[in-house]
Amino acid sequence: MIIIKKTELARAMARAQDTYILSGPVETFHGHTFRHLEPGQTPDLSYQHTLVSPKAVVFPPSDPLLTFSGNDWTGPDLAGLPPQAAVGIRPYDAKALHLLKYNFDTPEYKDPFFLSRFENLTLVGLAENQPDPANFSTSCGTGPFDETGLDMLLVDLGDALAGKILTDKGEAFARAAGLVPIPAEKKTAVASTIAELKTRAEKSMTSPREFGSLDPVSTLDLYEQADWEALAFGCINCNTCTFVCPTCWCFDIQDEARGQKGVRLKLWDSCMSALYSAHASGHNPRQQGWQRFRNRFMHKLKYFADKYGAGPMCVGCGRCIRLCPAGIDIRTIHQALSRLEAVT
Amino acid sequence: MNNPYEPYPVTIKEIKTETADRSLKTFTFAFIHQADEAAFSYRSGQFAMLSVPRVGEIPIGIASASSEKGIVKFTVFKTGKVTTFLHNMKQGDVMGIRGPMGNGFPLEQMTKKNLLIIGGGFAFTTLRSTIITLMQPDVRDQYGTIDVVYGARNPGMLLYQDELDQWCRQPGINMHITVDETDDPDWPHHTGFVPAVAGECAPESTGNSVAIVCGPPVMIKFTRPVLADLGYGDENILMSLENRMKCGIGMCGRCNIGQELVCRDGPVFTLAYLNKTPGEF
């Protein structure tokens, strides 16, 4: 356990930057975002949530896979990347990175772009003392003070931050930032304060009691029997939900070139887009918007859960709820599917 | 950690125009590095990404058989940016191949069985690989009867015409070729859609028969009831699907059918298996 005064945070981060490439929450014109920190830049730990999730730390929106020069190509050198640390990441976003790993680290194939960053990353979390009204992370197996998946958890105590060191990576980060453990006699009092803050934060949340487990209903029953056209009413397939989601991993691969020079890019994509699943022949198995809506929610709530046994592909961050222009709420969709479960 | 997005460099050894409208060409590639050829070990029914530097990638079924040493063939329909660029490339040009991908046909599980192979359009390309594999002298005896129903829009759109003629004369394989329409009064084969011709010509299942189906979604849809009438159980019908793919290694997400990914879990599935999944193909 460490304690750091907020007035000393900048100095600690500057020390950490001698060893780590840092990313963290930064205030922008449009609100907070999670991004790479320039030398000397301090993460703004007063934030509540970031509009776009921090998944870009391991899965950038645009990631060069190959560089072309004429007919020759080379991949980037991913070995020997300097260690990175995401400072001030919310526990639900840290869990999301672990869910992404299910997709990028498979027995058959390993995505070196994701994994080289993920394995090299230290996650320094920041507990959420006052959760956003759309946050329902406790329903998704995480929560505002969840420690799983983190290397260190920071808790805002007002003038200072308490830090629970959770792994060897967290220990190494604390050393690099010059953070020293607090005396043993003070530990109990700090732990008690953290426990109180945690209870208060979790009580303030209005999370649905059940979320995620749709096990009793078969995939085909959910797929065919739910009134998906009604559920999707209002959805304009704008893709916002997928781009802000911390667990969505769909991507496209495109070449960009000027003359003989070019680059092959892995780019975030969205299953809500009509072109996403359109065949070269013109046939599209998900031609209608509601069919793409169905695929998204089936993937989040059923396919992923069944395939990996790791719960839903959702961490309850609430971004898709806050930002959906049609007011679609994943909790409502889950509720409708659960009602189907009750009937069948 | 290997980079599964990095293609093997190949040179174009030969380009053959297949169809009268020049929309389909078969490209024969040779690997530039011998080690890459050894690493690209494939089976019929698998596919690969053809990678044109600075233009893009496309998934295409492998048309050659692993018995055709030193080369790998792909038949490509000119339809988009990458395929149009590829169609304009010349012998000796360098490009890339990434793969092989997917599961392919489990031919070793079909020994001693009668095989019915049904293909339509340019999806027949992977079935060429299967037929070449099956017709190897040391392989052919391991199987019972082999019937092939293959259809194209018109005679000019039939692929591999020299080989079709040869297979029609060859013992050990029963060819049933059809076209949707033709003006040729001397046309020696069938006229009609693939499902209808399969219903007329394909042998009934003996209970020891397997059907391999590869074609556009509409052909697959209408072939399913025909195979049921011929007595093929859903466990013995293998479908090769064509969902849109980008990464080919099950990560980009777009080719899913339920929780299955066509590029990694397929493209070959039994109909019995597909019956349990959302029909998004």
Side-chain angles (χ1 to χ4, degrees), chain A residues 56-101:
Chain A
V57 171
V58 287
F59 175 32
S62 169
D63 202 2
L65 300 177
L66 299 173
T67 306
F68 297 106
S69 178
N71 288 329
D72 294 328
W73 54 83
T74 51
D77 183 11
L78 298 167
L81 283 178
Q84 295 197 58
V87 181
I89 189 169
R90 292 296 187 196
Y92 53 71
D93 280 333
K95 177 174 179 173
L97 302 187
H98 288 271
L99 294 186
L100 290 175
K101 189 167 180 278

mmCIF file of all heavy atoms in Angstrom, chain A residues 56-101:
data_model
loop_
_atom_site.group_PDB
_atom_site.id
_atom_site.type_symbol
_atom_site.label_atom_id
_atom_site.label_comp_id
_atom_site.label_asym_id
_atom_site.label_seq_id
_atom_site.Cartn_x
_atom_site.Cartn_y
_atom_site.Cartn_z
ATOM 1 N N ALA A 56 -7.610 1.638 -27.050
ATOM 2 C CA ALA A 56 -6.581 2.010 -28.030
ATOM 3 C C ALA A 56 -5.165 1.791 -27.499
ATOM 4 O O ALA A 56 -4.220 1.690 -28.275
ATOM 5 C CB ALA A 56 -6.751 3.464 -28.443
ATOM 6 N N VAL A 57 -5.026 1.662 -26.189
ATOM 7 C CA VAL A 57 -3.700 1.423 -25.610
ATOM 8 C C VAL A 57 -3.122 0.109 -26.147
ATOM 9 O O VAL A 57 -1.920 -0.013 -26.366
ATOM 10 C CB VAL A 57 -3.806 1.385 -24.062
ATOM 11 C CG1 VAL A 57 -2.504 0.936 -23.429
ATOM 12 C CG2 VAL A 57 -4.214 2.743 -23.538
ATOM 13 N N VAL A 58 -3.991 -0.873 -26.360
ATOM 14 C CA VAL A 58 -3.521 -2.160 -26.880
ATOM 15 C C VAL A 58 -4.037 -2.441 -28.294
ATOM 16 O O VAL A 58 -3.535 -3.326 -28.989
ATOM 17 C CB VAL A 58 -3.937 -3.329 -25.959
ATOM 18 C CG1 VAL A 58 -3.109 -3.320 -24.691
ATOM 19 C CG2 VAL A 58 -5.420 -3.259 -25.630
ATOM 20 N N PHE A 59 -5.053 -1.705 -28.700
ATOM 21 C CA PHE A 59 -5.710 -1.957 -29.989
ATOM 22 C C PHE A 59 -6.017 -0.596 -30.613
ATOM 23 O O PHE A 59 -7.145 -0.109 -30.544
ATOM 24 C CB PHE A 59 -6.980 -2.775 -29.715
ATOM 25 C CG PHE A 59 -7.873 -3.053 -30.895
ATOM 26 C CD1 PHE A 59 -7.371 -3.219 -32.172
ATOM 27 C CD2 PHE A 59 -9.254 -3.176 -30.711
ATOM 28 C CE1 PHE A 59 -8.215 -3.471 -33.246
ATOM 29 C CE2 PHE A 59 -10.106 -3.444 -31.769
ATOM 30 C CZ PHE A 59 -9.578 -3.586 -33.042
ATOM 31 N N PRO A 60 -4.999 0.048 -31.204
ATOM 32 C CA PRO A 60 -5.188 1.408 -31.728
ATOM 33 C C PRO A 60 -6.215 1.447 -32.858
ATOM 34 O O PRO A 60 -6.374 0.456 -33.590
ATOM 35 C CB PRO A 60 -3.801 1.787 -32.261
ATOM 36 C CG PRO A 60 -2.864 0.804 -31.664
ATOM 37 C CD PRO A 60 -3.629 -0.442 -31.409
ATOM 38 N N PRO A 61 -6.907 2.561 -33.021
ATOM 39 C CA PRO A 61 -7.909 2.667 -34.093
ATOM 40 C C PRO A 61 -7.300 2.442 -35.466
ATOM 41 O O PRO A 61 -7.970 1.997 -36.388
ATOM 42 C CB PRO A 61 -8.421 4.101 -33.978
ATOM 43 C CG PRO A 61 -7.972 4.602 -32.672
ATOM 44 C CD PRO A 61 -6.832 3.778 -32.204
ATOM 45 N N SER A 62 -6.031 2.763 -35.614
ATOM 46 C CA SER A 62 -5.334 2.557 -36.885
ATOM 47 C C SER A 62 -3.944 2.018 -36.558
ATOM 48 O O SER A 62 -3.161 2.710 -35.916
ATOM 49 C CB SER A 62 -5.249 3.904 -37.618
ATOM 50 O OG SER A 62 -4.382 3.791 -38.713
ATOM 51 N N ASP A 63 -3.688 0.785 -36.985
ATOM 52 C CA ASP A 63 -2.465 0.103 -36.560
ATOM 53 C C ASP A 63 -1.730 -0.422 -37.787
ATOM 54 O O ASP A 63 -2.258 -1.284 -38.500
ATOM 55 C CB ASP A 63 -2.876 -1.063 -35.647
ATOM 56 C CG ASP A 63 -1.781 -1.518 -34.726
ATOM 57 O OD1 ASP A 63 -0.692 -0.911 -34.747
ATOM 58 O OD2 ASP A 63 -2.013 -2.487 -33.969
ATOM 59 N N PRO A 64 -0.543 0.082 -38.097
ATOM 60 C CA PRO A 64 0.166 -0.396 -39.296
ATOM 61 C C PRO A 64 0.619 -1.848 -39.148
ATOM 62 O O PRO A 64 1.323 -2.174 -38.199
ATOM 63 C CB PRO A 64 1.379 0.542 -39.390
ATOM 64 C CG PRO A 64 1.104 1.660 -38.451
ATOM 65 C CD PRO A 64 0.186 1.134 -37.398
ATOM 66 N N LEU A 65 0.179 -2.683 -40.080
ATOM 67 C CA LEU A 65 0.573 -4.100 -40.063
ATOM 68 C C LEU A 65 1.817 -4.328 -40.912
ATOM 69 O O LEU A 65 2.673 -5.140 -40.583
ATOM 70 C CB LEU A 65 -0.557 -4.980 -40.605
ATOM 71 C CG LEU A 65 -1.895 -4.952 -39.870
ATOM 72 C CD1 LEU A 65 -2.914 -5.830 -40.595
ATOM 73 C CD2 LEU A 65 -1.719 -5.449 -38.447
ATOM 74 N N LEU A 66 1.871 -3.635 -42.048
ATOM 75 C CA LEU A 66 2.995 -3.785 -42.987
ATOM 76 C C LEU A 66 3.289 -2.441 -43.628
ATOM 77 O O LEU A 66 2.379 -1.629 -43.815
ATOM 78 C CB LEU A 66 2.644 -4.761 -44.120
ATOM 79 C CG LEU A 66 2.306 -6.212 -43.806
ATOM 80 C CD1 LEU A 66 1.819 -6.910 -45.068
ATOM 81 C CD2 LEU A 66 3.509 -6.939 -43.243
ATOM 82 N N THR A 67 4.546 -2.245 -43.991
ATOM 83 C CA THR A 67 4.916 -1.051 -44.749
ATOM 84 C C THR A 67 5.452 -1.512 -46.100
ATOM 85 O O THR A 67 6.285 -2.420 -46.163
ATOM 86 C CB THR A 67 6.016 -0.267 -44.007
ATOM 87 O OG1 THR A 67 5.552 -0.026 -42.688
ATOM 88 C CG2 THR A 67 6.303 1.051 -44.685
ATOM 89 N N PHE A 68 4.940 -0.903 -47.176
ATOM 90 C CA PHE A 68 5.334 -1.306 -48.528
ATOM 91 C C PHE A 68 6.299 -0.300 -49.148
ATOM 92 O O PHE A 68 6.153 0.909 -48.983
ATOM 93 C CB PHE A 68 4.105 -1.386 -49.444
ATOM 94 C CG PHE A 68 3.111 -2.421 -49.024
ATOM 95 C CD1 PHE A 68 1.913 -2.054 -48.432
ATOM 96 C CD2 PHE A 68 3.370 -3.775 -49.216
ATOM 97 C CE1 PHE A 68 0.993 -3.000 -48.037
ATOM 98 C CE2 PHE A 68 2.457 -4.729 -48.824
ATOM 99 C CZ PHE A 68 1.260 -4.346 -48.230
ATOM 100 N N SER A 69 7.251 -0.845 -49.852
ATOM 101 C CA SER A 69 8.103 -0.021 -50.705
ATOM 102 C C SER A 69 8.223 -0.801 -52.004
ATOM 103 O O SER A 69 8.903 -1.822 -52.069
ATOM 104 C CB SER A 69 9.459 0.192 -50.047
ATOM 105 O OG SER A 69 10.272 0.947 -50.903
ATOM 106 N N GLY A 70 7.498 -0.347 -53.020
ATOM 107 C CA GLY A 70 7.424 -1.147 -54.244
ATOM 108 C C GLY A 70 6.759 -2.472 -53.929
ATOM 109 O O GLY A 70 5.713 -2.511 -53.292
ATOM 110 N N ASN A 71 7.395 -3.570 -54.320
ATOM 111 C CA ASN A 71 6.823 -4.885 -54.067
ATOM 112 C C ASN A 71 7.393 -5.546 -52.815
ATOM 113 O O ASN A 71 7.149 -6.725 -52.579
ATOM 114 C CB ASN A 71 7.038 -5.795 -55.276
ATOM 115 C CG ASN A 71 6.143 -5.397 -56.437
ATOM 116 O OD1 ASN A 71 5.047 -4.888 -56.224
ATOM 117 N ND2 ASN A 71 6.627 -5.583 -57.644
ATOM 118 N N ASP A 72 8.185 -4.806 -52.055
ATOM 119 C CA ASP A 72 8.719 -5.359 -50.803
ATOM 120 C C ASP A 72 7.866 -4.873 -49.637
ATOM 121 O O ASP A 72 7.323 -3.772 -49.686
ATOM 122 C CB ASP A 72 10.161 -4.885 -50.581
ATOM 123 C CG ASP A 72 11.092 -5.443 -51.637
ATOM 124 O OD1 ASP A 72 10.833 -6.578 -52.106
ATOM 125 O OD2 ASP A 72 12.045 -4.738 -52.012
ATOM 126 N N TRP A 73 7.794 -5.706 -48.631
ATOM 127 C CA TRP A 73 7.049 -5.284 -47.440
ATOM 128 C C TRP A 73 7.770 -5.757 -46.187
ATOM 129 O O TRP A 73 8.454 -6.771 -46.182
ATOM 130 C CB TRP A 73 5.616 -5.806 -47.451
ATOM 131 C CG TRP A 73 5.482 -7.292 -47.624
ATOM 132 C CD1 TRP A 73 5.573 -8.236 -46.648
ATOM 133 C CD2 TRP A 73 5.251 -7.995 -48.853
ATOM 134 N NE1 TRP A 73 5.393 -9.486 -47.190
ATOM 135 C CE2 TRP A 73 5.187 -9.368 -48.535
ATOM 136 C CE3 TRP A 73 5.076 -7.598 -50.174
ATOM 137 C CZ2 TRP A 73 4.973 -10.348 -49.504
ATOM 138 C CZ3 TRP A 73 4.861 -8.572 -51.128
ATOM 139 C CH2 TRP A 73 4.811 -9.919 -50.792
ATOM 140 N N THR A 74 7.591 -4.981 -45.138
ATOM 141 C CA THR A 74 8.149 -5.347 -43.842
ATOM 142 C C THR A 74 7.121 -5.055 -42.763
ATOM 143 O O THR A 74 6.354 -4.097 -42.854
ATOM 144 C CB THR A 74 9.418 -4.530 -43.507
ATOM 145 O OG1 THR A 74 9.118 -3.154 -43.690
ATOM 146 C CG2 THR A 74 10.594 -4.926 -44.355
ATOM 147 N N GLY A 75 7.133 -5.888 -41.746
ATOM 148 C CA GLY A 75 6.262 -5.661 -40.589
ATOM 149 C C GLY A 75 7.020 -4.850 -39.554
ATOM 150 O O GLY A 75 8.252 -4.814 -39.577
ATOM 151 N N PRO A 76 6.309 -4.184 -38.658
ATOM 152 C CA PRO A 76 7.008 -3.413 -37.624
ATOM 153 C C PRO A 76 7.734 -4.338 -36.649
ATOM 154 O O PRO A 76 7.342 -5.493 -36.472
ATOM 155 C CB PRO A 76 5.869 -2.658 -36.937
ATOM 156 C CG PRO A 76 4.640 -3.413 -37.249
ATOM 157 C CD PRO A 76 4.858 -4.125 -38.532
ATOM 158 N N ASP A 77 8.796 -3.829 -36.049
ATOM 159 C CA ASP A 77 9.534 -4.602 -35.059
ATOM 160 C C ASP A 77 8.826 -4.459 -33.712
ATOM 161 O O ASP A 77 8.842 -3.400 -33.097
ATOM 162 C CB ASP A 77 10.972 -4.070 -34.973
ATOM 163 C CG ASP A 77 11.796 -4.893 -34.005
ATOM 164 O OD1 ASP A 77 11.322 -5.962 -33.579
ATOM 165 O OD2 ASP A 77 12.914 -4.457 -33.675
ATOM 166 N N LEU A 78 8.184 -5.536 -33.297
ATOM 167 C CA LEU A 78 7.385 -5.459 -32.069
ATOM 168 C C LEU A 78 8.171 -5.927 -30.845
ATOM 169 O O LEU A 78 7.721 -5.763 -29.714
ATOM 170 C CB LEU A 78 6.123 -6.315 -32.215
ATOM 171 C CG LEU A 78 5.171 -5.864 -33.329
ATOM 172 C CD1 LEU A 78 4.120 -6.928 -33.606
ATOM 173 C CD2 LEU A 78 4.497 -4.558 -32.965
ATOM 174 N N ALA A 79 9.344 -6.513 -31.102
ATOM 175 C CA ALA A 79 10.147 -6.973 -29.970
ATOM 176 C C ALA A 79 10.808 -5.756 -29.325
ATOM 177 O O ALA A 79 11.141 -4.788 -29.996
ATOM 178 C CB ALA A 79 11.193 -7.963 -30.457
ATOM 179 N N GLY A 80 10.993 -5.821 -28.037
ATOM 180 C CA GLY A 80 11.725 -4.775 -27.348
ATOM 181 C C GLY A 80 10.958 -3.472 -27.199
ATOM 182 O O GLY A 80 11.567 -2.401 -27.095
ATOM 183 N N LEU A 81 9.627 -3.543 -27.225
ATOM 184 C CA LEU A 81 8.838 -2.336 -26.956
ATOM 185 C C LEU A 81 9.117 -1.884 -25.519
ATOM 186 O O LEU A 81 9.190 -2.717 -24.618
ATOM 187 C CB LEU A 81 7.336 -2.626 -27.081
ATOM 188 C CG LEU A 81 6.716 -2.744 -28.458
ATOM 189 C CD1 LEU A 81 5.230 -3.076 -28.310
ATOM 190 C CD2 LEU A 81 6.887 -1.470 -29.246
ATOM 191 N N PRO A 82 9.250 -0.577 -25.277
ATOM 192 C CA PRO A 82 9.434 -0.144 -23.883
ATOM 193 C C PRO A 82 8.173 -0.436 -23.078
ATOM 194 O O PRO A 82 7.074 -0.475 -23.641
ATOM 195 C CB PRO A 82 9.676 1.366 -24.020
ATOM 196 C CG PRO A 82 9.135 1.736 -25.343
ATOM 197 C CD PRO A 82 9.206 0.536 -26.214
ATOM 198 N N PRO A 83 8.318 -0.655 -21.774
ATOM 199 C CA PRO A 83 7.110 -0.925 -20.978
ATOM 200 C C PRO A 83 6.149 0.257 -21.005
ATOM 201 O O PRO A 83 6.570 1.409 -21.089
ATOM 202 C CB PRO A 83 7.654 -1.169 -19.569
ATOM 203 C CG PRO A 83 9.053 -0.718 -19.557
ATOM 204 C CD PRO A 83 9.539 -0.680 -20.969
ATOM 205 N N GLN A 84 4.871 -0.075 -20.982
ATOM 206 C CA GLN A 84 3.845 0.974 -20.977
ATOM 207 C C GLN A 84 3.019 0.856 -19.705
ATOM 208 O O GLN A 84 2.881 -0.241 -19.157
ATOM 209 C CB GLN A 84 2.901 0.801 -22.169
ATOM 210 C CG GLN A 84 3.584 0.983 -23.503
ATOM 211 C CD GLN A 84 2.563 1.218 -24.602
ATOM 212 O OE1 GLN A 84 1.778 2.161 -24.520
ATOM 213 N NE2 GLN A 84 2.565 0.375 -25.599
ATOM 214 N N ALA A 85 2.442 1.949 -19.289
ATOM 215 C CA ALA A 85 1.535 1.918 -18.140
ATOM 216 C C ALA A 85 0.329 2.797 -18.443
ATOM 217 O O ALA A 85 0.478 3.912 -18.946
ATOM 218 C CB ALA A 85 2.241 2.408 -16.881
ATOM 219 N N ALA A 86 -0.844 2.233 -18.190
ATOM 220 C CA ALA A 86 -2.090 3.007 -18.301
ATOM 221 C C ALA A 86 -2.440 3.453 -16.894
ATOM 222 O O ALA A 86 -2.777 2.626 -16.038
ATOM 223 C CB ALA A 86 -3.187 2.138 -18.889
ATOM 224 N N VAL A 87 -2.310 4.756 -16.636
ATOM 225 C CA VAL A 87 -2.485 5.279 -15.276
ATOM 226 C C VAL A 87 -3.864 5.919 -15.156
ATOM 227 O O VAL A 87 -4.212 6.805 -15.943
ATOM 228 C CB VAL A 87 -1.391 6.314 -14.947
ATOM 229 C CG1 VAL A 87 -1.560 6.828 -13.516
ATOM 230 C CG2 VAL A 87 -0.013 5.696 -15.125
ATOM 231 N N GLY A 88 -4.631 5.457 -14.190
ATOM 232 C CA GLY A 88 -5.942 6.050 -13.967
ATOM 233 C C GLY A 88 -7.034 5.376 -14.777
ATOM 234 O O GLY A 88 -8.117 5.933 -14.951
ATOM 235 N N ILE A 89 -6.775 4.174 -15.237
ATOM 236 C CA ILE A 89 -7.793 3.438 -16.002
ATOM 237 C C ILE A 89 -8.858 2.936 -15.016
ATOM 238 O O ILE A 89 -8.545 2.522 -13.895
ATOM 239 C CB ILE A 89 -7.134 2.272 -16.798
ATOM 240 C CG1 ILE A 89 -8.133 1.644 -17.773
ATOM 241 C CG2 ILE A 89 -6.542 1.214 -15.877
ATOM 242 C CD1 ILE A 89 -7.486 0.684 -18.771
ATOM 243 N N ARG A 90 -10.112 3.022 -15.417
ATOM 244 C CA ARG A 90 -11.179 2.539 -14.538
ATOM 245 C C ARG A 90 -11.150 1.006 -14.500
ATOM 246 O O ARG A 90 -10.834 0.361 -15.523
ATOM 247 C CB ARG A 90 -12.543 3.002 -15.046
ATOM 248 C CG ARG A 90 -12.769 4.497 -14.954
ATOM 249 C CD ARG A 90 -12.767 4.984 -13.528
ATOM 250 N NE ARG A 90 -13.145 6.392 -13.428
ATOM 251 C CZ ARG A 90 -12.941 7.153 -12.366
ATOM 252 N NH1 ARG A 90 -12.339 6.649 -11.294
ATOM 253 N NH2 ARG A 90 -13.320 8.412 -12.351
ATOM 254 N N PRO A 91 -11.527 0.411 -13.371
ATOM 255 C CA PRO A 91 -11.480 -1.058 -13.277
ATOM 256 C C PRO A 91 -12.279 -1.762 -14.378
ATOM 257 O O PRO A 91 -11.854 -2.795 -14.898
ATOM 258 C CB PRO A 91 -12.080 -1.331 -11.894
ATOM 259 C CG PRO A 91 -11.727 -0.118 -11.093
ATOM 260 C CD PRO A 91 -11.848 1.036 -12.066
ATOM 261 N N TYR A 92 -13.438 -1.181 -14.776
ATOM 262 C CA TYR A 92 -14.229 -1.859 -15.819
ATOM 263 C C TYR A 92 -13.496 -1.827 -17.158
ATOM 264 O O TYR A 92 -13.581 -2.769 -17.948
ATOM 265 C CB TYR A 92 -15.640 -1.270 -15.947
ATOM 266 C CG TYR A 92 -15.737 0.239 -16.134
ATOM 267 C CD1 TYR A 92 -15.361 0.858 -17.306
ATOM 268 C CD2 TYR A 92 -16.226 1.042 -15.111
ATOM 269 C CE1 TYR A 92 -15.459 2.237 -17.463
ATOM 270 C CE2 TYR A 92 -16.330 2.409 -15.254
ATOM 271 C CZ TYR A 92 -15.938 3.018 -16.440
ATOM 272 O OH TYR A 92 -16.029 4.371 -16.609
ATOM 273 N N ASP A 93 -12.757 -0.746 -17.410
ATOM 274 C CA ASP A 93 -12.008 -0.681 -18.669
ATOM 275 C C ASP A 93 -10.819 -1.656 -18.658
ATOM 276 O O ASP A 93 -10.445 -2.204 -19.691
ATOM 277 C CB ASP A 93 -11.518 0.746 -18.921
ATOM 278 C CG ASP A 93 -12.619 1.634 -19.501
ATOM 279 O OD1 ASP A 93 -13.529 1.095 -20.157
ATOM 280 O OD2 ASP A 93 -12.562 2.860 -19.301
ATOM 281 N N ALA A 94 -10.251 -1.851 -17.475
ATOM 282 C CA ALA A 94 -9.157 -2.824 -17.369
ATOM 283 C C ALA A 94 -9.692 -4.229 -17.635
ATOM 284 O O ALA A 94 -9.071 -5.028 -18.342
ATOM 285 C CB ALA A 94 -8.520 -2.753 -15.990
ATOM 286 N N LYS A 95 -10.874 -4.499 -17.109
ATOM 287 C CA LYS A 95 -11.475 -5.820 -17.374
ATOM 288 C C LYS A 95 -11.721 -5.983 -18.877
ATOM 289 O O LYS A 95 -11.532 -7.068 -19.430
ATOM 290 C CB LYS A 95 -12.787 -5.989 -16.607
ATOM 291 C CG LYS A 95 -13.421 -7.333 -16.960
ATOM 292 C CD LYS A 95 -14.637 -7.717 -16.196
ATOM 293 C CE LYS A 95 -15.118 -9.070 -16.726
ATOM 294 N NZ LYS A 95 -16.188 -9.664 -16.001
ATOM 295 N N ALA A 96 -12.143 -4.901 -19.509
ATOM 296 C CA ALA A 96 -12.423 -4.983 -20.949
ATOM 297 C C ALA A 96 -11.178 -5.405 -21.730
ATOM 298 O O ALA A 96 -11.280 -6.182 -22.689
ATOM 299 C CB ALA A 96 -12.935 -3.638 -21.453
ATOM 300 N N LEU A 97 -10.016 -4.918 -21.330
ATOM 301 C CA LEU A 97 -8.793 -5.312 -22.041
ATOM 302 C C LEU A 97 -8.563 -6.819 -21.919
ATOM 303 O O LEU A 97 -8.116 -7.473 -22.864
ATOM 304 C CB LEU A 97 -7.572 -4.550 -21.494
ATOM 305 C CG LEU A 97 -7.612 -3.021 -21.549
ATOM 306 C CD1 LEU A 97 -6.275 -2.442 -21.124
ATOM 307 C CD2 LEU A 97 -7.979 -2.511 -22.938
ATOM 308 N N HIS A 98 -8.899 -7.354 -20.757
ATOM 309 C CA HIS A 98 -8.755 -8.798 -20.571
ATOM 310 C C HIS A 98 -9.770 -9.565 -21.422
ATOM 311 O O HIS A 98 -9.478 -10.668 -21.886
ATOM 312 C CB HIS A 98 -8.890 -9.157 -19.087
ATOM 313 C CG HIS A 98 -7.704 -8.739 -18.269
ATOM 314 N ND1 HIS A 98 -6.604 -9.540 -18.082
ATOM 315 C CD2 HIS A 98 -7.424 -7.572 -17.647
ATOM 316 C CE1 HIS A 98 -5.704 -8.901 -17.350
ATOM 317 N NE2 HIS A 98 -6.173 -7.692 -17.070
ATOM 318 N N LEU A 99 -10.954 -8.986 -21.609
ATOM 319 C CA LEU A 99 -11.933 -9.656 -22.491
ATOM 320 C C LEU A 99 -11.467 -9.616 -23.942
ATOM 321 O O LEU A 99 -11.668 -10.569 -24.692
ATOM 322 C CB LEU A 99 -13.316 -9.003 -22.355
ATOM 323 C CG LEU A 99 -14.022 -9.147 -20.999
ATOM 324 C CD1 LEU A 99 -15.444 -8.581 -21.077
ATOM 325 C CD2 LEU A 99 -14.080 -10.598 -20.546
ATOM 326 N N LEU A 100 -10.844 -8.513 -24.336
ATOM 327 C CA LEU A 100 -10.323 -8.431 -25.712
ATOM 328 C C LEU A 100 -9.308 -9.535 -25.974
ATOM 329 O O LEU A 100 -9.195 -10.046 -27.085
ATOM 330 C CB LEU A 100 -9.639 -7.079 -25.949
ATOM 331 C CG LEU A 100 -10.510 -5.825 -26.019
ATOM 332 C CD1 LEU A 100 -9.629 -4.584 -26.132
ATOM 333 C CD2 LEU A 100 -11.447 -5.882 -27.213
ATOM 334 N N LYS A 101 -8.588 -9.899 -24.938
ATOM 335 C CA LYS A 101 -7.530 -10.904 -25.105
ATOM 336 C C LYS A 101 -8.105 -12.246 -25.583
ATOM 337 O O LYS A 101 -7.434 -12.984 -26.299
ATOM 338 C CB LYS A 101 -6.776 -11.081 -23.785
ATOM 339 C CG LYS A 101 -5.525 -11.940 -23.870
ATOM 340 C CD LYS A 101 -4.688 -11.792 -22.606
ATOM 341 C CE LYS A 101 -3.429 -12.640 -22.653
ATOM 342 N NZ LYS A 101 -3.663 -14.035 -22.282
#
